[in-house]
Amino acid sequence: MSLKEQFGKDVLLTGWGHSRFGKLTDETLESLIVQVATEAIGNAGIEPGQIDEIYLGQFNSGMMPLAFPSSLALQVSEQLANVPSTRVENACASGSAAFQQGTKSLLAGTAKTVLVVGAEKMTHAGADVVGAALLGADYDMAGKASSTGFTGLFAEVAKHYEKRYGPVSDVLGTIAAKNHRNGVDNPYAQLRKDLGEEFCRTVSDKNPMVADPLRRTDCSPVSDGAAAVVLSVAPTGGATAPVRLAGFGQANDFFPTDRRDPTAFAATRASWQRALGMAGVGLGELDFAEVHDCFTIAELLMYEALGLTEPGQGSRAVQEGWVFKDGKLPINVSGGLKAKGHPVGATGVSQHVIAAMQLTGTAGDMQLPAARRAAVQNMGGVGIANYVSVLEAV
């Protein structure tokens, strides 16, 4: 049973906007939000006054002094005066959390057109500030000093995985090389350089070990950026055909580390099952997926959580070429967080925008042939807050 069959109405992505990701010294949080919101509204073919509600995904957690940005999107137009606007925060999944809140407003009937924006400004803050902010998303490390930050947390996941299933250093290097190669074709990406497998697999002066076994090339960069999408219950006559939300899922895991299997990502798996179940489709009916590869070990575990392989066999998806552009389920054709960048609050919305571009044939050099159905997966913390959307061409 699809979302439309379950709720009796469509949720359509009818317009979208996307900034470049990277160190954007000439941009502010406000300018990024206004840029992508204006682009999304124009792409949808509507007037700003037709927006019933706004949701802004942003993490911040002390990276910016302004901690109350919900009304910044109103700067787009005087027509947005008095439109309800809410900031949504769920760590690195803040963008997808905002997307699902917008979806629920449409399904509840309290809005017919919703603007969802994801944005983050990070690169101006020092490494210590960013590191402390991100560690605020971990139950055990929040407020504590750490020389490796969130990389250290995922390095521990990798160590548990290696202890249980064997070495993964080479396959992680291949995942990094794949995503860097894909990022070359993404005009929004922060890192647009094909580094090659040998470089990504090898520790060197230019690719140091950050937290064993994760090298620099195994880690997504600190980024600025924004993305926006207009959600509607009916086509709006925009610049492209709309994209349908066929199903969605959310699942949260227990926060303390000792209450979770470090390699199972159980709630991530549950979010996949809920989204695919609502959409009424199987994994084999997806043409591609954009997943949350904040670190390469996260992408490897995602192959297993989404059911592409059995636990401990994620490397098979790489070794047999399943996740490459010409494979049976291309993963992170955009370059993923690894190459595209990871402005935390923007990431989930960006993933939806990139997927919508693919499904409407407007992805440019990133374009896959005959892409008709996709999945987007975004998570906060070490598999704590998990969101999955299934999107399809109309």
Side-chain angles (χ1 to χ4, degrees), residues 198 204 355:
E198 186 62 28
S204 65

Side-chain angles (χ1 to χ4, degrees), residues 104-121:
K104 290 173 182 177
S105 287
L106 298 185
L107 295 178
T110 56
K112 292 183 178 179
T113 306
V114 172
L115 173 66
V116 178
V117 182
E120 208 75 64
K121 198 80 170 67

Side-chain angles (χ1 to χ4, degrees), residues 35-170:
Q35 174 194 331
V36 297
T38 301
E39 187 179 346
I41 292 168
N43 184 251
I46 62 174
E47 293 296 322
Q50 293 175 257
I51 300 293
D52 298 315
E53 196 164 4
I54 300 169
Y55 286 99
L56 170 66
Q58 190 219 19
F59 179 49
N60 193 356
S61 194
M63 290 185 286
M64 284 197 66
L66 180 63
F68 181 45
S70 58
S71 280
L72 289 180
L74 273 60
Q75 299 294 85
V76 169
S77 170
E78 290 290 332
Q79 295 180 39
L80 291 175
N82 303 320
V83 171
S85 187
T86 305
R87 176 190 172 216
V88 180
E89 186 278 311
N90 220 355
C92 296
S94 296
S96 287
F99 181 91
Q100 283 201 13
Q101 288 303 117
T103 294
K104 290 173 182 177
S105 287
L106 298 185
L107 295 178
T110 56
K112 292 183 178 179
T113 306
V114 172
L115 173 66
V116 178
V117 182
E120 208 75 64
K121 198 80 170 67
M122 304 172 70
T123 64
H124 64 285
D128 56 337
V129 174
V130 173
L134 296 177
L135 281 176
D138 186 76
Y139 180 88
D140 302 290
M141 289 302 297
K144 297 180 180 178
S146 171
S147 60
T148 56
F150 231 79
T151 308
L153 301 181
F154 274 89
E156 288 302 310
V157 171
K159 288 176 183 177
H160 281 289
Y161 191 94
E162 289 191 318
K163 184 176 181 181
R164 189 174 295 182
Y165 300 118
V168 295
S169 181
D170 281 354

